[in-house]
Amino acid sequence: MLELLDRPRTTRDLSRLDGRAESTISYHLGVLARAGLVSKQRSGGSVGYRRTDLGDSLVTGGGRPGRRYDQSA
């Protein structure tokens, strides 16, 4: 799911892309948000979710945000 959040998406968008029920998507987004991997922003009547810097680093394999990835570690 983190890979799909390269730009803001709603639970409906994610449900259509992923094939899971919106309630399941919402549950998973809540878990990811509590872990600091996604953030949400209300825009009008909808809520958009997007990866945080930490979520980006997990998807790209870049290690910790703000640090260079050291393959020798």
Side-chain angles (χ1 to χ4, degrees):
M1 186 168 305
L2 281 176
E3 290 178 348
L4 296 175
L5 291 169
D6 57 333
R7 64 180 182 86
R9 296 186 193 271
T10 65
T11 54
R12 179 170 288 170
D13 294 336
L14 291 166
S15 177
R16 289 178 180 156
L17 291 169
D18 187 68
R20 296 180 201 172
E22 286 184 49
S23 59
T24 302
I25 298 292
S26 181
Y27 172 81
H28 286 285
L29 288 170
V31 171
L32 293 171
R34 286 189 296 279
L37 300 175
V38 300
S39 62
K40 63 182 178 178
Q41 184 169 0
R42 183 168 294 280
S43 176
S46 64
V47 177
Y49 292 85
R50 186 180 186 126
R51 290 189 309 245
T52 61
D53 289 342
L54 179 59
D56 280 340
S57 69
L58 288 174
V59 171
T60 63
R64 293 170 129 175
R67 293 187 175 199
R68 292 191 55 195
Y69 180 64
D70 182 3
Q71 293 182 345
S72 64

